[in-house]
Amino acid sequence: MPLPTMRQLQYLSAVAEHLSFSGAADACFVTQSTLSSGIKELETLIGATLVERTRRKVMLTPLGRQVLEKGEKILEIAREIEDMAADAEEPLSGTLRLGVIPTIGPFLLPTLMPALQDAFPKVKLEVREDLSASLVDKLSHGQLDVVLFALPYDAPDLVTVTVGHDPFVLLENTKAESTRGGREILSLEELGQGDRSVLLLEDGHCLRDHALSACQLDTVNDAFRASSLHTLVQMVGQGLGVTLLPEMAVTSGILNTAPNLKIRSFADPQPSRRIGLAWRKSAARARDYKILADFLSEWLKEIAR
């Protein structure tokens, strides 16, 4: 009896993740008809329906989920074999699947990717942006190789390395200047005083927790919760409150299109978040990931000068 192919299992995994044949086909870099045929061949091979298809939704059958669970283990072993082969070559060559959180990706990737490509021309980057919890789950299940996110984060099964620090700054509307004398430096004690309405990202973004902890805030304005830093900037621009931004977002130009805004730095020791790189403890290419961590650490120091 013929065995399922790696490609068929990849197609099934993509359908389970995207719950869409078109989305799964894009993720696998094939046409929708090719992916659909591959799923159909797998179902014929097994002799049962694995994917329920309607005009409105796509989902795996109970048997499909069981097959996927076994298939994911096979795919992970295959990736480890691929990693061992790549590790035998020069450092950081071959495919590198990088996960990055939304409060880092837009501000570092545009300059990081060219720099990484120059330093390691044989690496092929595949980037996925998502929240920390989702990225860590994908990393743990072998769907990503490394994750660039903010620390601390509870992930005892992963190796985490700090590659840099990103200070927090206060963003406020310039109309508020007169009430504080136009001072450029702000203390943490002052942040918690007065009538400031502190706006932060919605739950699920680790930046929210890191900002609350680093800036020693007990309460914020939960009437307004944004899904992105760009939304927070616009809210502050409309005079709805103040917010805490990571320095890298300001440096990358997040304020360029927003008027009436002013940045205030905190007095030393500045509150900050740690930028970290994580990978599985069992990763076959751990040597490569340590090299990547060292590169990121030096690169972040360079761009901060």
Side-chain angles (χ1 to χ4, degrees):
M1 175 180 175
L3 296 175
T5 67
M6 299 295 296
R7 179 57 70 181
Q8 290 168 346
L9 294 176
Q10 286 177 322
Y11 289 166
L12 185 64
S13 176
V15 169
E17 179 179 355
H18 295 276
L19 298 179
S20 160
F21 273 67
S22 60
D26 289 342
C28 294
F29 302 102
V30 297
T31 65
Q32 186 171 334
S33 61
T34 297
L35 182 132
S36 181
S37 296
I39 294 293
K40 193 64 180 176
E41 290 169 1
L42 180 60
E43 290 178 323
T44 300
L45 181 65
I46 292 176
T49 300
L50 303 179
V51 180
E52 292 183 17
R53 310 162 177 83
T54 69
R55 290 186 176 181
R56 293 187 176 182
K57 65 180 181 180
V58 173
M59 60 185 297
L60 265 62
T61 65
L63 178 60
R65 290 193 294 271
Q66 291 180 325
V67 172
L68 176 63
E69 183 179 354
K70 298 295 184 182
E72 289 284 10
K73 294 178 181 178
I74 295 171
L75 290 172
E76 184 173 353
I77 293 173
R79 293 184 189 110
E80 289 178 357
I81 293 173
E82 183 182 38
D83 287 346
M84 287 188 290
D87 197 48
E89 300 177 3
E90 62 183 270
L92 278 179
S93 57
T95 301
L96 178 70
R97 298 167 299 162
L98 169 68
V100 62
I101 58 176
T103 57
I104 291 179
F107 314 117
L108 288 190
L109 290 183
T111 49
L112 171 60
M113 291 181 69
L116 191 59
Q117 203 70 61
D118 287 343
F120 305 98
K122 291 190 177 181
V123 72
K124 179 184 176 183
L125 278 177
E126 293 182 1
V127 180
R128 170 69 61 87
E129 185 180 84
D130 208 335
L131 299 183
S132 295
S134 178
L135 292 177
V136 167
D137 181 67
K138 287 180 171 61
L139 178 60
S140 298
H141 287 85
Q143 295 171 300
L144 292 172
D145 297 315
V146 290
V147 166
L148 185 63
F149 62 165
L151 300 173
Y153 191 90
D154 185 23
D157 295 332
L158 302 178
V159 177
T160 56
V161 177
T162 298
V163 297
H165 290 80
D166 187 24
F168 286 108
V169 297
L170 181 75
L171 178 68
E172 65 181 12
N173 193 294
T174 50
K175 295 177 182 178
E177 273 192 55
S178 59
T179 63
R180 283 182 284 281
R183 287 172 293 173
E184 298 294 335
I185 302 298
L186 186 73
S187 69
L188 290 179
E189 290 76 15
E190 289 176 285
L191 177 62
Q193 297 172 356
D195 59 352
R196 290 185 180 87
S197 181
V198 181
L199 312 173
L200 293 176
L201 294 175
E202 62 187 1
D203 291 333
H205 289 269
C206 59
L207 182 68
R208 177 185 177 88
D209 296 331
H210 292 153
L212 287 172
S213 176
C215 297
Q216 303 172 21
L217 284 173
D218 295 324
T219 59
V220 296
N221 184 353
D222 283 330
F224 295 95
R225 293 191 183 187
S227 60
S228 73
L229 293 180
H230 290 85
T231 301
L232 281 179
V233 168
Q234 296 302 320
M235 291 164 68
V236 174
Q238 294 300 316
L240 298 176
V242 302
T243 194
L244 297 162
L245 291 179
E247 180 71 42
M248 68 169 60
V250 177
T251 303
S252 69
I254 194 173
L255 307 183
N256 289 350
T257 60
N260 306 322
L261 296 175
K262 186 175 183 65
I263 286 292
R264 295 183 187 277
S265 299
F266 287 98
D268 291 332
Q270 289 181 300
S272 65
R273 60 175 180 167
R274 289 185 288 135
I275 307 303
L277 189 72
W279 59 87
R280 294 182 302 280
K281 290 181 178 179
S282 60
R285 298 175 67 187
R287 182 196 66 168
D288 277 8
Y289 307 150
K290 291 175 184 176
I291 292 173
L292 176 60
D294 290 341
F295 171 83
L296 288 171
S297 180
E298 291 302 315
W299 181 78
L300 287 170
K301 289 176 184 176
E302 184 66 28
I303 65 173
R305 290 172 185 167

